[in-house]
Amino acid sequence: MTARMAAALCGLVLVASGAASAATGWVTFTHPRLGFTLSYPPGWEVARTATGVVLLVVGPPPAGVSGLRMNVSVTHEEVPPGMTVEQYDSQNESGMGLLFTGYRRLRADRTRVGDYPAVVRYYTWIRGDGVELYQMQLAAIAGTRGYVVTGTTAAASRRLAEEARLLVSILLTFRPGR
């Protein structure tokens, strides 16, 4: 782990308690069919999504990195009744090493989004063009629907700690639909 990534991780511990206040003045998106909400800063915009992604919000480029914009995406799937968020996180992560070159889990934290237990996982991986991404994923379950909310920036960003705090703040505004 680079010193920059370590600094980013250390700064994230206190973000959970400040997520609601960070969202003051932010835009709140409510999914018309699924009912979940996610808030993001002014200037970020909803973008066209890839298959399987039900929401993609994009922001500015990471500091000093071209060819990428910070973003947050939301996916969902049906899960078996009684599945815990820890089981869902483990299931979701199980194939990541096969899908992502150089996948490296940095850490995971338990938290809550509204009334629901959640896990936030931090990791890096390398895109096909050689750019190392720094991502965090929030996994939550509401009933029999599992959600994964992913925040992305570049590991080489000159402001990685600041960008990671912002992305986690966005992730923690997520509220599953009922």
Side-chain angles (χ1 to χ4, degrees):
M1 179 181 327
T2 67
R4 185 177 308 161
M5 282 185 228
L9 283 173
C10 289
L12 297 177
V13 174
L14 299 176
V15 170
S17 63
S21 63
T24 302
W26 285 12
V27 176
T28 299
F29 172 90
T30 302
H31 193 277
R33 184 174 51 85
L34 299 172
F36 70 78
T37 61
L38 181 83
S39 297
Y40 53 90
W44 286 55
E45 57 195 37
V46 174
R48 294 186 64 168
T49 62
T51 302
V53 175
V54 294
L55 174 64
L56 176 64
V57 182
V58 295
V65 178
S66 61
L68 176 69
R69 289 175 69 186
M70 289 189 296
N71 64 77
V72 174
S73 64
V74 179
T75 61
H76 76 96
E77 64 183 323
E78 292 299 313
V79 297
M83 177 177 258
T84 68
V85 72
E86 290 81 12
Q87 291 168 327
Y88 183 55
D89 175 55
S90 179
Q91 171 188 303
N92 181 269
E93 184 185 30
S94 66
M96 293 184 77
L98 300 173
L99 294 173
F100 298 142
T101 302
Y103 173 80
R104 188 168 45 126
R105 182 178 180 141
L106 303 172
R107 93 171 201 227
D109 297 321
R110 290 182 177 173
T111 189
R112 295 190 71 77
V113 288
D115 296 334
Y116 302 95
V119 173
V120 179
R121 174 185 347 127
Y122 305 85
Y123 59 94
T124 61
W125 65 281
I126 302 168
R127 282 192 328 195
D129 62 0
V131 173
E132 185 178 18
L133 299 180
Y134 182 90
Q135 290 186 310
M136 55 232 50
Q137 287 187 326
L138 174 118
I141 295 177
T144 58
R145 181 163 286 141
Y147 291 94
V148 176
V149 186
T150 305
T152 303
T153 190
S157 172
R158 290 191 313 259
R159 291 193 308 264
L160 179 59
E162 177 184 331
E163 291 168 4
R165 280 191 300 275
L166 174 61
L167 289 168
V168 168
S169 292
I170 295 169
L171 267 59
L172 292 175
T173 69
F174 176 81
R175 296 297 180 265
R178 298 216 182 253

